[in-house]
Amino acid sequence: MSYLVLRGINKIYPNGYHAVHDFNLKIEKGEFIVFVGSSGCGKSTTLRMIAGLENISKGEFYIDGVRANEKGPRERGVAMVFQSYALYPHMTVYDNLAFGLTLQGVDDDVIEQKVYATAKILGLTDYLDRLPRALSGGQRQRVAVGRAIIRKVDIFLMDEPLSNLDAKQRVTMRSEITQIHRETGATTIYVTHDQTEAMTMADRIVVMKEGYIQQVGTPHDLYFNPSNMFVAGFIGEPPMNFIEGTVKNGKIDVKGNVIVLSAVADKDVIQKYEGEKIVFGFRPEAIRLIGKGDDNNSFKISCTVELTEMLGDNTNVYVDIAGIKTILKVDPHDAPNEDDAFDFLIPYESVYLFDKNTEKRIKLRADK
Ligand code: ADP
């Protein structure tokens, strides 16, 4: 097990493009860290700098307290799984798994024992004689993972390893990778653009945007305490709803739905934003229907229903609050009809406010 420290890491590509800015993070021994963000935000670049495949333009990188900037990929004790699997097409599964160990000069009987043990963990025992082209996408991905774990490294790096799989295979492999992580205990860094993968697999998530870290936290932290609008909108499906308004006399008027801010925020917070634009946020799943439980301690909002999507376990309801489009997530049994006028409640405890200029979350109470 290794711990990693990235201090002030930057990547400027030879063409002058500044892909990663001032990346600071300590990754604990055995932690499962996920870098998440939209395509092009610098996740792979950061991972490749950790792997030693890309040089670090500025900043310091330590493995177990020892500076590793100048170390080559082989000296870092890392194994990497790529999106493309990178299997040798002319070699059997057995040989693909054995290849790294053969190069290291490991004895044949030790290799055989390790290949069988790894194949067993990954359910590949019956496929050892096959060539990669005779495997399904999921099986190929397992071989790629197997090739990395067979080396018993301390640091495991994965770059979008599931993106070539179908939805069902992704769910299966997600839990398999989590299981392998539990068994090997290797410090793992996993790159994905998929927030569900991040939420289900990570001990801690690093959310990135345009080369900058937006927030680092547990899945619970990011969902309940997003530090800005980007994180609030990125984590959660469907995303958080945002409604813009100007604070007047401690209230925002959302097209006739008056939100009295003293219900959710301290007086000095409201005073600070008097006359300023703020953004009111609530999650689609946080709303409550009238007459279903506690109708107090909530803002009541009126809207019209534009479209409903029945997904089985819930229905997404697309509504229009006098011109503002938002999404609500409700039990299918309670779903309103399209084109109906509809009232719903947003519990005070589910309200987020953001500064319109900085997009940062506003702390509502001094004691929270
Ligand atoms: P992500 O993994 O988050 O999708 P990347 O780390 O691959 O993003 O890329 C971050 C940014 O750096 C992108 O804008 C990409 O176009 C750019 N980039 C990646 N590789 C190079 C390169 N070799 N030269 C110049 N720019 C690059």
Side-chain angles (χ1 to χ4, degrees):
M1 248 59 63
S2 291
Y3 73 95
L4 309 178
V5 174
L6 291 96
R7 193 178 296 150
I9 298 286
N10 284 264
K11 178 67 190 182
I12 303 161
Y13 279 110
N15 67 357
Y17 188 74
H18 200 151
V20 177
H21 298 257
D22 199 29
F23 191 105
N24 288 291
L25 184 69
K26 180 175 182 204
I27 301 173
E28 304 294 344
K29 286 184 182 179
E31 227 184 343
F32 197 118
I33 290 280
V34 176
F35 295 168
V36 74
S38 320
S39 178
C41 70
K43 308 177 294 290
S44 295
T45 301
T46 309
L47 195 75
R48 292 168 64 80
M49 287 193 280
I50 292 170
L53 299 173
E54 216 42 92
N55 73 322
I56 296 169
S57 310
K58 194 173 142 223
E60 284 144 15
F61 173 51
Y62 298 90
I63 301 176
D64 293 327
V66 179
R67 185 178 156 101
N69 289 51
E70 290 77 23
K71 286 191 177 176
R74 291 199 172 272
E75 299 168 89
R76 297 188 186 197
V78 303
M80 187 148 167
V81 179
F82 297 92
Q83 179 177 349
S84 58
Y85 314 146
L87 300 181
Y88 299 107
H90 57 286
M91 286 189 196
T92 62
V93 170
Y94 185 101
D95 290 337
N96 264 286
L97 290 173
F99 188 70
L101 300 175
T102 310
L103 276 190
Q104 285 172 23
V106 176
D107 287 346
D108 282 350
D109 48 345
V110 176
I111 292 180
E112 187 176 330
Q113 185 202 333
K114 288 192 174 190
V115 167
Y116 277 98
T118 306
K120 195 165 167 225
I121 294 174
L122 292 162
L124 290 169
T125 312
D126 294 340
Y127 306 96
L128 288 170
D129 294 334
R130 290 206 193 170
L131 292 174
R133 67 166 182 272
L135 299 175
S136 71
Q139 289 162 342
R140 280 180 217 172
Q141 187 50 275
R142 277 194 198 116
V143 179
V145 171
R147 252 189 2 187
I149 64 172
I150 202 167
R151 289 173 46 209
K152 290 259 182 305
V153 294
D154 287 337
I155 306 164
F156 205 17
L157 307 176
M158 297 195 237
D159 194 351
E160 303 258 6
L162 308 186
S163 52
N164 289 330
L165 304 182
D166 66 36
K168 208 166 158 198
Q169 286 174 325
R170 273 208 298 273
V171 174
T172 314
M173 274 309 281
R174 225 159 62 194
S175 60
E176 283 181 18
I177 289 174
T178 309
Q179 193 61 36
I180 289 165
H181 173 249
R182 285 204 189 117
E183 280 167 26
T184 61
T187 308
T188 302
I189 309 174
Y190 185 103
V191 160
T192 181
H193 62 275
D194 181 329
Q195 61 102 18
T196 311
E197 277 176 28
M199 291 296 274
T200 52
M201 301 171 89
D203 290 321
R204 281 189 305 154
I205 299 173
V206 178
V207 182
M208 296 181 70
K209 180 191 171 197
E210 292 166 8
Y212 289 91
I213 292 184
Q214 298 294 304
Q215 189 171 359
V216 180
T218 62
H220 188 279
D221 276 343
L222 297 190
Y223 182 83
F224 289 103
N225 295 308
S227 59
N228 59 35
M229 285 175 68
F230 181 79
V231 176
F234 195 83
I235 302 289
E237 176 58 33
M240 186 183 280
N241 294 302
F242 297 120
I243 297 175
E244 222 178 282
T246 303
V247 182
K248 278 194 203 130
N249 302 320
K251 299 175 194 135
I252 42 177
D253 184 342
V254 185
K255 315 264 177 175
N257 297 290
V258 178
I259 290 172
V260 182
L261 294 174
S262 59
V264 294
D266 284 346
K267 218 161 58 190
D268 53 342
V269 175
I270 303 167
Q271 269 163 9
K272 190 176 155 206
Y273 283 93
E274 183 63 33
E276 302 287 328
K277 277 202 168 150
I278 60 167
V279 177
F280 178 92
F282 65 97
R283 294 203 179 273
E285 58 276 28
I287 64 128
R288 209 177 273 153
L289 302 184
I290 291 170
K292 299 253 173 193
D294 181 12
D295 284 3
N296 300 316
N297 300 314
S298 306
F299 296 117
K300 187 173 149 204
I301 306 284
S302 302
C303 61
T304 27
V305 178
E306 295 203 315
L307 182 78
T308 61
E309 281 176 349
M310 215 290 283
L311 298 169
D313 56 343
N314 68 275
T315 294
N316 288 337
V317 183
Y318 294 77
V319 304
D320 181 311
I321 307 172
I324 302 165
K325 311 284 180 193
T326 58
I327 307 178
L328 317 177
K329 204 166 167 176
V330 305
D331 185 303
H333 301 103
D334 300 328
N337 295 319
E338 290 176 6
D339 300 327
D340 275 4
F342 183 60
D343 290 349
F344 67 94
L345 303 169
I346 305 172
Y348 295 156
E349 74 220 19
S350 305
V351 167
Y352 295 86
L353 295 180
F354 300 90
D355 186 307
K356 166 78 175 120
N357 293 319
T358 62
E359 301 203 343
K360 288 198 173 133
R361 183 146 73 93
I362 299 169
K363 197 167 175 310
L364 301 177
R365 305 259 184 225
D367 60 350
K368 274 193 184 168

